[in-house]
Coordinates of all heavy atoms in Angstrom, one line a residue:
M1 N -3.7 -3.9 -3.2 CA -3.3 -3.7 -4.6 C -3.3 -2.2 -4.9 O -4.2 -1.5 -4.5 CB -4.4 -4.4 -5.5 CG -3.9 -4.4 -6.9 SD -5.0 -5.5 -8.0 CE -6.4 -6.0 -7.0
G2 N -2.3 -1.8 -5.5 CA -2.2 -0.4 -5.8 C -3.1 0.1 -6.8 O -3.6 -0.8 -7.6
K3 N -3.3 1.4 -7.0 CA -4.2 1.8 -8.0 C -3.7 1.4 -9.4 O -4.5 1.0 -10.3 CB -4.3 3.4 -8.0 CG -5.5 3.9 -8.9 CD -5.5 5.4 -8.6 CE -6.6 6.0 -9.5 NZ -6.5 7.5 -9.6
M4 N -2.4 1.5 -9.7 CA -1.8 1.2 -11.0 C -2.0 -0.2 -11.3 O -2.4 -0.5 -12.5 CB -0.3 1.5 -10.9 CG 0.3 1.7 -12.2 SD -0.4 2.9 -13.2 CE -0.1 2.3 -14.9
S5 N -1.8 -1.1 -10.5 CA -1.9 -2.6 -10.7 C -3.3 -2.9 -10.9 O -3.7 -3.8 -11.7 CB -1.3 -3.5 -9.6 OG -1.7 -3.1 -8.4
R6 N -4.2 -2.2 -10.2 CA -5.7 -2.4 -10.4 C -6.1 -2.1 -11.8 O -6.8 -2.8 -12.6 CB -6.5 -1.6 -9.4 CG -7.9 -2.3 -9.1 CD -8.6 -1.3 -8.1 NE -8.0 -1.2 -6.9 CZ -8.1 -2.0 -5.9 NH1 -9.0 -2.9 -5.9 NH2 -7.5 -1.8 -4.6
M7 N -5.5 -1.0 -12.3 CA -5.9 -0.4 -13.7 C -5.3 -1.5 -14.7 O -5.9 -1.8 -15.6 CB -5.2 0.9 -13.9 CG -6.0 2.0 -13.3 SD -5.1 3.6 -13.3 CE -4.8 3.8 -15.0
M8 N -4.1 -2.0 -14.4 CA -3.5 -3.0 -15.3 C -4.3 -4.2 -15.3 O -4.5 -4.9 -16.4 CB -2.0 -3.3 -14.9 CG -1.1 -2.2 -15.3 SD 0.6 -2.5 -14.7 CE 1.0 -4.0 -15.6
L9 N -4.8 -4.7 -14.1 CA -5.6 -5.8 -14.1 C -6.9 -5.6 -15.0 O -7.3 -6.6 -15.7 CB -6.0 -6.1 -12.6 CG -7.0 -7.3 -12.4 CD1 -6.5 -8.5 -12.9 CD2 -7.3 -7.3 -10.9
L10 N -7.5 -4.5 -14.8 CA -8.8 -4.3 -15.6 C -8.3 -4.3 -17.1 O -9.1 -4.8 -17.9 CB -9.2 -2.9 -15.2 CG -10.0 -2.8 -13.8 CD1 -10.4 -1.4 -13.5 CD2 -11.1 -3.8 -13.7
A11 N -7.2 -3.7 -17.4 CA -6.8 -3.7 -18.8 C -6.6 -5.1 -19.4 O -7.0 -5.5 -20.4 CB -5.4 -2.9 -19.0
V12 N -6.0 -6.0 -18.5 CA -5.8 -7.4 -18.9 C -7.1 -8.1 -19.0 O -7.4 -8.8 -20.0 CB -4.9 -8.1 -17.9 CG1 -5.0 -9.6 -18.2 CG2 -3.5 -7.6 -17.9
L13 N -8.1 -8.0 -18.0 CA -9.2 -8.5 -18.2 C -10.1 -8.1 -19.2 O -10.8 -8.8 -20.0 CB -10.2 -8.2 -16.7 CG -9.5 -8.9 -15.5 CD1 -10.3 -8.6 -14.3 CD2 -9.5 -10.4 -15.7
G14 N -10.1 -6.8 -19.5 CA -10.8 -6.1 -20.5 C -10.4 -6.6 -22.0 O -11.1 -6.5 -22.9
S15 N -9.0 -7.0 -22.0 CA -8.6 -7.4 -23.3 C -8.9 -8.8 -23.7 O -8.7 -9.1 -25.0 CB -7.0 -7.1 -23.3 OG -6.5 -8.1 -22.5
G16 N -9.4 -9.5 -22.9 CA -9.9 -10.8 -23.3 C -8.8 -11.8 -23.4 O -7.6 -11.5 -23.3
V17 N -9.1 -13.1 -23.7 CA -8.1 -14.1 -23.8 C -7.2 -13.8 -24.9 O -5.9 -14.1 -24.8 CB -8.9 -15.5 -23.9 CG1 -7.9 -16.6 -23.7 CG2 -10.2 -15.6 -23.2
S18 N -7.7 -13.3 -26.0 CA -6.8 -13.3 -27.2 C -6.0 -11.9 -27.2 O -5.2 -11.7 -28.1 CB -7.6 -13.3 -28.4 OG -8.5 -12.2 -28.4
G19 N -6.2 -11.2 -26.2 CA -5.6 -9.9 -26.0 C -4.1 -9.9 -26.2 O -3.6 -9.7 -27.2
I20 N -3.4 -10.0 -25.0 CA -1.9 -9.9 -25.0 C -1.4 -11.4 -24.9 O -1.3 -11.9 -23.8 CB -1.5 -9.0 -23.8 CG1 -2.2 -7.7 -23.6 CG2 0.1 -8.6 -24.1 CD1 -2.2 -7.1 -22.4
A21 N -1.0 -11.9 -26.0 CA -0.6 -13.2 -26.1 C 0.5 -13.7 -25.0 O 0.4 -14.7 -24.3 CB -0.1 -13.6 -27.4
S22 N 1.5 -12.7 -24.9 CA 2.6 -13.2 -24.0 C 2.5 -12.7 -22.5 O 3.1 -13.2 -21.7 CB 3.9 -12.5 -24.5 OG 3.7 -11.1 -24.5
A23 N 1.4 -11.8 -22.3 CA 1.2 -11.4 -21.0 C 0.6 -12.4 -20.2 O -0.2 -13.3 -20.7 CB 0.4 -10.1 -20.9
A24 N 0.7 -12.5 -18.8 CA 0.1 -13.6 -18.0 C -1.4 -13.4 -18.1 O -2.0 -12.3 -18.1 CB 0.6 -13.3 -16.5
N25 N -2.0 -14.6 -18.1 CA -3.5 -14.7 -18.2 C -4.0 -14.9 -16.8 O -4.1 -16.0 -16.2 CB -3.9 -15.8 -19.1 CG -5.4 -15.8 -19.3 OD1 -6.1 -15.4 -18.6 ND2 -5.7 -16.4 -20.5
I26 N -4.5 -13.8 -16.2 CA -4.9 -13.8 -14.7 C -6.2 -14.6 -14.6 O -6.4 -15.3 -13.6 CB -5.1 -12.4 -14.2 CG1 -3.7 -11.7 -14.2 CG2 -5.9 -12.4 -12.9 CD1 -3.8 -10.3 -13.8
V27 N -7.2 -14.6 -15.6 CA -8.3 -15.4 -15.6 C -8.0 -17.0 -15.5 O -8.6 -17.7 -14.7 CB -9.3 -15.1 -16.7 CG1 -10.5 -16.0 -16.6 CG2 -9.7 -13.6 -16.6
Q28 N -7.2 -17.3 -16.5 CA -6.7 -18.7 -16.5 C -6.0 -19.1 -15.2 O -6.1 -20.2 -14.7 CB -5.7 -18.9 -17.6 CG -4.9 -20.2 -17.6 CD -5.3 -21.1 -18.7 OE1 -5.7 -20.6 -19.8 NE2 -5.1 -22.4 -18.5
G29 N -5.1 -18.1 -14.7 CA -4.4 -18.3 -13.5 C -5.3 -18.6 -12.3 O -5.1 -19.5 -11.5
Q30 N -6.4 -17.9 -12.2 CA -7.4 -18.1 -11.1 C -8.0 -19.5 -11.2 O -8.2 -20.1 -10.2 CB -8.5 -17.0 -11.2 CG -9.7 -17.2 -10.2 CD -10.6 -16.0 -10.1 OE1 -10.8 -15.4 -11.2 NE2 -11.2 -15.9 -9.0
Q31 N -8.3 -19.9 -12.4 CA -9.0 -21.3 -12.5 C -7.9 -22.3 -12.1 O -8.2 -23.3 -11.4 CB -9.3 -21.5 -14.0 CG -10.6 -20.7 -14.3 CD -10.8 -20.7 -15.9 OE1 -10.1 -21.2 -16.6 NE2 -11.9 -20.1 -16.3
L32 N -6.7 -22.2 -12.5 CA -5.8 -23.2 -12.2 C -5.4 -23.2 -10.7 O -5.2 -24.1 -10.0 CB -4.4 -23.0 -13.0 CG -4.5 -23.3 -14.5 CD1 -3.2 -22.7 -15.1 CD2 -4.7 -24.7 -14.7
Y33 N -5.4 -22.0 -10.1 CA -5.1 -21.7 -8.6 C -6.3 -22.5 -7.8 O -6.0 -23.2 -6.9 CB -5.1 -20.2 -8.2 CG -5.0 -20.0 -6.8 CD1 -3.7 -19.8 -6.2 CD2 -6.1 -19.9 -5.9 CE1 -3.5 -19.7 -4.9 CE2 -5.9 -19.7 -4.7 CZ -4.6 -19.6 -4.1 OH -4.5 -19.3 -2.7
N34 N -7.5 -22.2 -8.3 CA -8.6 -22.9 -7.5 C -8.5 -24.3 -7.7 O -8.8 -25.1 -6.6 CB -10.0 -22.3 -8.1 CG -10.2 -20.9 -7.7 OD1 -9.6 -20.4 -6.7 ND2 -11.1 -20.3 -8.4
M35 N -8.0 -24.9 -8.8 CA -7.9 -26.3 -8.9 C -6.8 -27.0 -8.2 O -6.9 -28.0 -7.5 CB -7.8 -26.5 -10.5 CG -8.3 -27.9 -10.9 SD -7.9 -27.9 -12.8 CE -8.9 -26.6 -13.3
H36 N -5.6 -26.3 -8.2 CA -4.4 -27.0 -7.7 C -3.8 -26.5 -6.4 O -3.0 -27.0 -5.8 CB -3.4 -26.8 -8.8 CG -3.7 -27.6 -10.1 ND1 -3.5 -29.0 -10.2 CD2 -4.1 -27.1 -11.3 CE1 -3.8 -29.3 -11.5 NE2 -4.3 -28.2 -12.2
C37 N -4.2 -25.2 -6.0 CA -3.5 -24.5 -5.0 C -4.4 -24.1 -3.8 O -4.0 -24.0 -2.7 CB -2.8 -23.2 -5.4 SG -2.1 -23.4 -7.1
A38 N -5.7 -23.9 -4.1 CA -6.5 -23.3 -3.0 C -6.8 -24.2 -1.9 O -6.9 -23.7 -0.7 CB -7.9 -23.0 -3.7
A39 N -6.6 -25.5 -2.0 CA -6.8 -26.4 -0.9 C -5.9 -26.1 0.3 O -6.2 -26.3 1.4 CB -6.7 -27.9 -1.3
C40 N -4.7 -25.7 -0.1 CA -3.6 -25.4 0.9 C -3.5 -23.8 1.2 O -3.4 -23.4 2.3 CB -2.3 -25.9 0.6 SG -2.3 -27.7 0.6
H41 N -3.5 -23.0 0.1 CA -3.4 -21.6 0.2 C -4.6 -20.8 0.5 O -4.4 -19.6 0.6 CB -2.5 -21.1 -1.1 CG -1.1 -21.6 -1.1 ND1 -0.1 -21.2 -0.3 CD2 -0.6 -22.7 -1.8 CE1 1.0 -21.8 -0.6 NE2 0.8 -22.8 -1.5
G42 N -5.7 -21.5 0.3 CA -7.0 -20.8 0.5 C -7.6 -20.0 -0.8 O -6.7 -19.6 -1.5
G43 N -8.8 -20.0 -0.9 CA -9.5 -19.5 -2.0 C -9.1 -17.9 -2.2 O -9.2 -17.5 -3.3
R44 N -8.9 -17.3 -1.1 CA -8.6 -15.9 -1.1 C -7.1 -15.5 -0.7 O -6.8 -14.5 -0.3 CB -9.5 -15.0 -0.3 CG -10.9 -15.0 -0.8 CD -11.1 -14.3 -2.1 NE -10.7 -12.9 -2.1 CZ -10.2 -12.3 -3.2 NH1 -10.2 -12.9 -4.4 NH2 -9.8 -11.0 -3.0
G45 N -6.3 -16.7 -0.7 CA -4.9 -16.6 -0.2 C -4.7 -16.5 1.3 O -3.8 -16.0 1.7
E46 N -5.8 -16.9 2.0 CA -5.8 -16.8 3.5 C -4.8 -17.9 4.1 O -4.6 -17.8 5.3 CB -7.2 -16.7 4.0 CG -7.9 -18.0 4.0 CD -8.7 -18.3 2.6 OE1 -8.3 -17.7 1.7 OE2 -9.7 -18.9 2.6
G47 N -4.6 -18.9 3.4 CA -3.7 -20.0 3.9 C -4.4 -20.9 4.8 O -4.7 -20.5 6.0
V48 N -4.9 -22.0 4.4 CA -5.7 -22.9 5.2 C -4.9 -23.9 5.8 O -5.1 -24.3 7.0 CB -6.9 -23.6 4.5 CG1 -8.0 -22.4 4.1 CG2 -6.6 -24.1 3.1
M49 N -3.9 -24.5 5.1 CA -3.0 -25.5 5.6 C -1.9 -24.9 6.4 O -1.3 -23.9 6.1 CB -2.4 -26.2 4.4 CG -1.4 -27.3 4.7 SD -2.1 -28.7 5.2 CE -2.5 -29.6 3.7
P50 N -1.6 -25.5 7.7 CA -0.6 -24.9 8.5 C 0.7 -24.7 7.7 O 1.1 -25.6 6.9 CB -0.4 -25.9 9.6 CG -1.7 -26.7 9.6 CD -2.2 -26.7 8.2
D51 N 1.4 -23.6 7.9 CA 2.7 -23.3 7.3 C 2.6 -22.8 5.7 O 3.5 -22.4 5.2 CB 3.7 -24.5 7.3 CG 4.1 -25.0 8.7 OD1 4.0 -24.0 9.6 OD2 4.4 -26.1 9.0
A52 N 1.4 -23.0 5.2 CA 1.2 -22.5 3.8 C 1.2 -20.9 3.9 O 0.5 -20.3 4.7 CB -0.1 -23.0 3.2
P53 N 2.1 -20.3 3.1 CA 2.1 -18.8 3.1 C 0.7 -18.3 2.8 O -0.1 -18.7 2.1 CB 3.1 -18.5 2.0 CG 3.9 -19.7 1.7 CD 3.0 -21.0 2.1
K54 N 0.5 -17.1 3.5 CA -0.8 -16.4 3.3 C -0.6 -15.3 2.2 O 0.0 -14.3 2.5 CB -1.3 -15.8 4.6 CG -1.6 -16.8 5.8 CD -1.8 -16.1 7.0 CE -2.4 -17.0 8.1 NZ -1.5 -18.3 8.2
F55 N -0.9 -15.6 1.0 CA -0.7 -14.7 0.0 C -1.4 -13.4 0.1 O -1.0 -12.4 -0.4 CB -1.0 -15.3 -1.5 CG -0.2 -16.6 -1.8 CD1 -0.7 -17.8 -2.2 CD2 1.2 -16.6 -1.6 CE1 0.0 -18.8 -2.5 CE2 2.0 -17.7 -1.8 CZ 1.4 -18.8 -2.3
R56 N -2.5 -13.5 0.9 CA -3.3 -12.2 1.1 C -2.3 -11.2 1.9 O -2.6 -10.0 1.7 CB -4.5 -12.5 2.1 CG -5.8 -12.9 1.4 CD -6.8 -12.9 2.4 NE -7.2 -11.6 2.9 CZ -8.4 -11.3 3.3 NH1 -9.2 -12.3 3.6 NH2 -8.7 -10.0 3.7
M57 N -1.6 -11.7 2.6 CA -0.8 -10.8 3.4 C 0.6 -10.6 2.8 O 1.4 -10.0 3.3 CB -0.4 -11.5 4.8 CG -1.7 -12.1 5.5 SD -2.9 -10.9 6.0 CE -2.0 -10.0 7.3
G58 N 0.6 -11.2 1.5 CA 1.9 -10.9 0.8 C 3.0 -11.7 1.1 O 4.1 -11.6 0.7
E59 N 2.7 -12.8 1.9 CA 3.8 -13.7 2.4 C 4.5 -14.3 1.3 O 3.8 -15.0 0.4 CB 3.3 -14.7 3.4 CG 2.9 -14.1 4.7 CD 2.4 -15.0 5.7 OE1 2.4 -16.3 5.5 OE2 1.9 -14.6 6.8
R60 N 5.9 -14.3 1.2 CA 6.7 -14.9 0.2 C 6.7 -14.1 -1.1 O 7.5 -14.4 -2.0 CB 6.4 -16.4 0.0 CG 6.3 -17.3 1.2 CD 7.7 -17.4 1.8 NE 7.6 -18.4 3.0 CZ 7.8 -19.6 3.0 NH1 8.1 -20.2 1.7 NH2 7.6 -20.4 4.1
L61 N 5.8 -13.2 -1.3 CA 5.6 -12.6 -2.6 C 6.6 -11.5 -2.9 O 6.7 -10.8 -3.9 CB 4.2 -12.1 -2.8 CG 3.1 -13.0 -2.7 CD1 1.8 -12.5 -2.9 CD2 3.3 -14.2 -3.7
E62 N 7.5 -11.3 -1.9 CA 8.7 -10.3 -2.1 C 9.6 -10.9 -3.1 O 10.5 -10.3 -3.6 CB 9.3 -9.8 -0.8 CG 10.1 -10.8 -0.1 CD 9.2 -11.9 0.7 OE1 7.9 -11.9 0.7 OE2 9.9 -12.9 1.3
Q63 N 9.6 -12.3 -3.2 CA 10.5 -12.9 -4.1 C 10.1 -12.8 -5.6 O 8.8 -12.7 -5.8 CB 10.6 -14.3 -3.7 CG 11.0 -14.6 -2.3 CD 10.9 -16.1 -1.9 OE1 11.9 -16.8 -2.1 NE2 9.8 -16.6 -1.5
P64 N 11.1 -12.7 -6.5 CA 10.7 -12.7 -8.0 C 9.9 -13.8 -8.4 O 10.1 -14.9 -7.9 CB 12.0 -12.4 -8.6 CG 13.1 -12.7 -7.7 CD 12.5 -12.8 -6.3
D65 N 9.2 -13.7 -9.5 CA 8.3 -14.7 -10.1 C 9.2 -15.9 -10.4 O 8.9 -17.1 -10.2 CB 7.7 -14.3 -11.4 CG 6.4 -13.5 -11.0 OD1 6.1 -13.4 -9.9 OD2 5.7 -13.1 -12.0
M66 N 10.5 -15.7 -11.0 CA 11.3 -16.8 -11.3 C 11.7 -17.7 -10.1 O 11.9 -18.9 -10.4 CB 12.6 -16.2 -12.1 CG 12.2 -15.7 -13.4 SD 11.4 -16.9 -14.5 CE 10.1 -15.9 -15.1
V67 N 11.9 -17.2 -9.0 CA 12.2 -17.8 -7.8 C 11.0 -18.7 -7.3 O 11.2 -19.9 -7.1 CB 12.7 -16.8 -6.7 CG1 12.9 -17.7 -5.4 CG2 14.0 -16.3 -7.1
L68 N 9.8 -18.0 -7.3 CA 8.6 -18.7 -6.9 C 8.3 -19.8 -7.9 O 7.8 -20.9 -7.5 CB 7.5 -17.7 -6.8 CG 7.8 -16.6 -5.8 CD1 6.5 -15.5 -5.8 CD2 7.9 -17.0 -4.4
L69 N 8.5 -19.5 -9.2 CA 8.3 -20.6 -10.2 C 9.0 -21.9 -9.9 O 8.5 -22.9 -9.9 CB 8.7 -20.0 -11.6 CG 8.7 -21.0 -12.7 CD1 7.3 -21.5 -13.1 CD2 9.2 -20.3 -14.0
Q70 N 10.3 -21.6 -9.6 CA 11.1 -22.7 -9.2 C 10.7 -23.6 -8.0 O 10.7 -24.8 -8.1 CB 12.6 -22.3 -9.1 CG 13.7 -23.2 -9.5 CD 13.4 -23.8 -10.8 OE1 13.3 -22.9 -11.9 NE2 13.3 -25.1 -11.1
S71 N 10.3 -22.9 -7.1 CA 9.7 -23.5 -5.8 C 8.5 -24.4 -6.1 O 8.4 -25.4 -5.6 CB 9.3 -22.5 -4.8 OG 10.5 -21.7 -4.3
V72 N 7.6 -23.8 -7.0 CA 6.3 -24.6 -7.3 C 6.6 -25.7 -8.1 O 6.0 -26.8 -8.0 CB 5.4 -23.6 -7.9 CG1 4.1 -24.3 -8.5 CG2 4.9 -22.4 -7.0
K73 N 7.6 -25.5 -9.1 CA 8.0 -26.6 -9.9 C 8.6 -27.8 -9.1 O 8.2 -29.0 -9.4 CB 9.0 -26.2 -11.0 CG 8.3 -25.5 -12.1 CD 9.3 -25.0 -13.0 CE 9.9 -26.0 -14.0 NZ 10.7 -25.2 -15.1
S74 N 9.5 -27.5 -8.1 CA 10.1 -28.6 -7.4 C 9.6 -29.0 -6.2 O 9.8 -29.9 -5.5 CB 11.7 -28.2 -7.2 OG 11.7 -26.8 -6.8
G75 N 8.6 -28.1 -5.8 CA 7.9 -28.5 -4.4 C 8.6 -27.9 -3.3 O 9.8 -27.6 -3.4
K76 N 8.0 -27.8 -2.1 CA 8.7 -27.3 -1.0 C 8.0 -27.9 0.3 O 6.8 -27.6 0.4 CB 8.7 -25.8 -1.0 CG 9.8 -25.1 -0.2 CD 10.0 -23.7 -0.6 CE 11.3 -23.2 -0.1 NZ 11.5 -21.8 -0.2
K77 N 8.7 -28.5 1.2 CA 8.2 -29.3 2.3 C 6.9 -30.0 1.9 O 7.1 -30.8 1.0 CB 7.9 -28.1 3.4 CG 9.1 -27.5 3.8 CD 9.1 -26.9 5.2 CE 10.5 -26.3 5.6 NZ 10.2 -25.1 6.5
I78 N 5.7 -29.7 2.5 CA 4.6 -30.5 2.1 C 3.9 -30.1 0.7 O 3.1 -30.8 0.3 CB 3.4 -30.5 3.2 CG1 3.0 -29.1 3.4 CG2 4.0 -31.2 4.5 CD1 1.6 -29.0 4.1
M79 N 4.4 -29.0 0.2 CA 3.9 -28.6 -1.2 C 4.5 -29.7 -2.3 O 5.7 -29.8 -2.3 CB 4.3 -27.2 -1.5 CG 3.8 -26.9 -3.0 SD 3.6 -25.1 -3.3 CE 5.3 -24.7 -3.3
P80 N 3.6 -30.3 -3.0 CA 4.1 -31.3 -3.9 C 4.7 -30.5 -5.1 O 4.3 -29.4 -5.4 CB 2.8 -32.0 -4.3 CG 1.7 -31.0 -4.2 CD 2.1 -30.2 -3.0
P81 N 5.7 -31.1 -5.8 CA 6.2 -30.6 -7.1 C 5.1 -30.5 -8.2 O 4.4 -31.5 -8.5 CB 7.3 -31.4 -7.5 CG 7.1 -32.8 -6.8 CD 6.1 -32.6 -5.6
F82 N 5.1 -29.5 -8.9 CA 4.1 -29.4 -9.9 C 4.7 -29.5 -11.3 O 4.1 -29.3 -12.4 CB 3.3 -28.0 -9.9 CG 2.3 -28.0 -8.8 CD1 2.7 -27.6 -7.5 CD2 0.9 -28.4 -9.1 CE1 1.6 -27.7 -6.5 CE2 0.0 -28.5 -8.2 CZ 0.3 -28.1 -6.8
F83 N 5.9 -29.9 -11.3 CA 6.7 -30.2 -12.6 C 6.0 -31.4 -13.2 O 5.7 -32.3 -12.5 CB 8.3 -30.5 -12.3 CG 9.0 -30.8 -13.6 CD1 9.4 -29.9 -14.4 CD2 9.2 -32.1 -13.8 CE1 10.1 -30.1 -15.6 CE2 9.8 -32.5 -15.1 CZ 10.4 -31.5 -15.9
G84 N 5.6 -31.2 -14.5 CA 5.0 -32.2 -15.2 C 3.5 -32.2 -15.1 O 2.8 -32.9 -15.7
I85 N 3.1 -31.4 -14.2 CA 1.5 -31.2 -14.0 C 1.2 -29.9 -14.6 O 0.2 -29.8 -15.4 CB 1.2 -31.2 -12.5 CG1 1.6 -32.6 -11.9 CG2 -0.3 -31.0 -12.3 CD1 1.4 -32.7 -10.4
L86 N 1.8 -28.8 -14.3 CA 1.7 -27.5 -15.0 C 2.8 -27.1 -15.7 O 4.0 -27.3 -15.3 CB 1.3 -26.4 -13.9 CG 0.0 -26.8 -13.0 CD1 -0.1 -25.7 -12.0 CD2 -1.2 -26.7 -13.9
Q87 N 2.6 -26.4 -16.8 CA 3.7 -25.9 -17.6 C 4.2 -24.5 -17.0 O 3.4 -23.9 -16.2 CB 3.2 -25.6 -19.0 CG 2.8 -26.8 -19.8 CD 2.1 -26.6 -21.1 OE1 1.7 -25.5 -21.3 NE2 1.9 -27.6 -21.9
D88 N 5.3 -24.1 -17.3 CA 5.9 -22.9 -16.7 C 4.9 -21.7 -16.8 O 4.7 -21.0 -16.0 CB 7.3 -22.6 -17.3 CG 8.4 -23.4 -16.8 OD1 8.0 -24.5 -16.3 OD2 9.6 -23.1 -17.1
A89 N 4.4 -21.6 -18.1 CA 3.6 -20.5 -18.5 C 2.3 -20.4 -17.6 O 1.7 -19.4 -17.2 CB 3.1 -20.5 -20.0
Q90 N 1.7 -21.7 -17.3 CA 0.6 -21.9 -16.5 C 0.9 -21.5 -15.0 O 0.1 -20.7 -14.4 CB 0.1 -23.4 -16.5 CG -0.4 -23.7 -17.8 CD -0.9 -25.2 -17.9 OE1 -0.2 -26.1 -17.5 NE2 -2.2 -25.4 -18.3
I91 N 2.0 -21.9 -14.6 CA 2.4 -21.4 -13.2 C 2.6 -19.9 -13.1 O 2.2 -19.3 -12.1 CB 3.7 -22.2 -12.8 CG1 3.4 -23.7 -12.7 CG2 4.3 -21.7 -11.4 CD1 4.7 -24.6 -12.5
L92 N 3.1 -19.4 -14.1 CA 3.3 -17.9 -14.2 C 1.9 -17.1 -14.2 O 1.8 -16.1 -13.5 CB 4.1 -17.4 -15.3 CG 5.6 -17.8 -15.2 CD1 6.4 -17.5 -16.5 CD2 6.3 -17.1 -14.0
D93 N 1.0 -17.8 -14.8 CA -0.4 -17.2 -14.8 C -0.9 -17.3 -13.5 O -1.5 -16.4 -12.8 CB -1.3 -18.1 -15.7 CG -1.1 -17.8 -17.2 OD1 -0.4 -16.9 -17.5 OD2 -1.6 -18.6 -18.0
V94 N -0.6 -18.4 -12.7 CA -1.1 -18.6 -11.3 C -0.5 -17.5 -10.5 O -1.1 -17.0 -9.6 CB -0.9 -20.1 -10.9 CG1 -1.2 -20.1 -9.3 CG2 -1.7 -21.0 -11.6
L95 N 0.9 -17.4 -10.6 CA 1.6 -16.4 -9.7 C 1.0 -15.0 -10.0 O 0.9 -14.1 -9.1 CB 3.0 -16.5 -10.0 CG 3.6 -17.7 -9.6 CD1 5.1 -17.8 -9.9 CD2 3.5 -17.9 -8.0
A96 N 0.7 -14.6 -11.3 CA 0.1 -13.4 -11.6 C -1.2 -13.1 -10.9 O -1.5 -12.1 -10.3 CB -0.1 -13.2 -13.1
Y97 N -1.9 -14.2 -10.9 CA -3.4 -14.1 -10.1 C -3.0 -14.0 -8.6 O -3.7 -13.1 -7.9 CB -4.1 -15.4 -10.4 CG -5.3 -15.5 -9.5 CD1 -6.4 -14.5 -9.5 CD2 -5.4 -16.5 -8.4 CE1 -7.4 -14.7 -8.6 CE2 -6.5 -16.6 -7.6 CZ -7.5 -15.5 -7.7 OH -8.5 -15.7 -6.8
V98 N -2.1 -14.8 -8.0 CA -1.8 -14.8 -6.6 C -1.4 -13.3 -6.2 O -1.8 -12.9 -5.1 CB -0.7 -15.7 -6.3 CG1 0.1 -15.4 -5.0 CG2 -1.2 -17.2 -6.3
R99 N -0.7 -12.6 -7.1 CA -0.3 -11.3 -6.8 C -1.3 -10.3 -6.7 O -1.4 -9.2 -6.3 CB 0.8 -10.8 -7.7 CG 2.1 -11.6 -7.5 CD 3.3 -10.9 -8.3 NE 4.6 -11.6 -8.4 CZ 5.4 -11.6 -7.2 NH1 5.1 -10.9 -6.2 NH2 6.4 -12.4 -7.3
T100 N -2.5 -10.7 -7.3 CA -3.8 -9.8 -7.2 C -4.5 -10.0 -5.8 O -5.5 -9.2 -5.6 CB -4.8 -10.1 -8.4 OG1 -5.4 -11.4 -8.2 CG2 -4.1 -10.0 -9.7
L101 N -4.1 -11.0 -5.1 CA -5.0 -11.4 -3.8 C -4.5 -10.4 -2.7 O -5.2 -10.3 -1.7 CB -4.6 -12.8 -3.4 CG -5.1 -13.8 -4.3 CD1 -4.8 -15.3 -3.9 CD2 -6.6 -13.8 -4.6
R102 N -3.4 -9.6 -2.9 CA -3.0 -8.9 -1.7 C -3.9 -7.7 -1.4 O -4.4 -7.1 -2.4 CB -1.6 -8.2 -2.1 CG -0.5 -9.3 -2.3 CD 0.8 -8.7 -2.5 NE 1.2 -8.0 -1.2 CZ 2.4 -7.6 -1.0 NH1 3.3 -7.6 -1.9 NH2 2.7 -7.0 0.1
Ligands
HEC1 C1 -0.4 -29.6 -0.1 C2 -0.6 -28.2 0.1 C3 0.0 -27.2 -1.0 C4 -0.5 -27.1 -2.3 C5 -1.4 -28.0 -3.0 C6 0.2 -26.0 -2.8 N1 1.1 -25.5 -1.9 FE1 2.2 -23.8 -2.2 N2 3.0 -24.1 -0.4 C7 2.6 -24.9 0.6 C8 3.3 -24.8 1.8 C9 3.2 -25.6 3.1 C10 4.3 -23.9 1.5 C11 5.4 -23.3 2.5 C12 6.8 -24.3 2.3 C13 7.8 -23.8 3.1 O1 7.7 -23.9 4.3 O2 8.8 -23.1 2.7 C14 4.2 -23.4 0.2 C15 4.9 -22.4 -0.4 C16 4.5 -21.8 -1.7 C17 5.1 -20.7 -2.3 C18 6.4 -19.9 -1.7 C19 7.6 -20.6 -2.2 C20 8.9 -20.1 -1.7 O3 9.9 -20.2 -2.3 O4 8.8 -19.2 -0.7 C21 4.5 -20.4 -3.5 C22 4.8 -19.3 -4.4 C23 3.4 -21.4 -3.6 N3 3.5 -22.2 -2.5 C24 2.6 -21.4 -4.6 C25 1.7 -22.6 -4.9 C26 1.0 -22.7 -6.1 C27 1.0 -21.8 -7.2 C28 0.3 -23.9 -6.0 C29 -0.6 -24.5 -7.0 C30 -0.2 -24.7 -8.4 C31 0.6 -24.4 -4.6 N4 1.5 -23.6 -3.9 C32 0.1 -25.5 -4.1 C33 1.5 -25.9 0.4 C34 0.9 -26.1 -0.7

């Protein structure tokens, strides 16, 4: 994580839940990640399930959020679709958290 994004992360964490309404909520994203994604992608993004991208290594994260959002919604290979389980905003929160794992 670069110095700038670390500062932004601190700013988001420091601002609390009610802080920036439209900005991604990384704390919420972490909770959802641990609940729905960590079993395959690993608690620290190390990738535990074979073929699951290692987010720690930045795998697949070169793609924009809107592309990743679509993959998570519709599912990919053994990854189940999260459409109907998580809202778009929740998935974007998770992706914002995932990007902090690098
Ligand atoms: C059952 C295991 C499993 C779960 C649960 C799971 N994933 Fe995945 N995920 C995978 C696998 C395997 C791939 C690689 C698919 C492929 O080969 O393209 C993947 C790929 C991805 C990608 C890359 C998509 C792309 O287009 O390259 C993202 C982002 C992702 N997962 C995020 C998530 C998030 C966020 C969650 C939780 C909401 C989640 N995954 C839950 C197994 C899982």
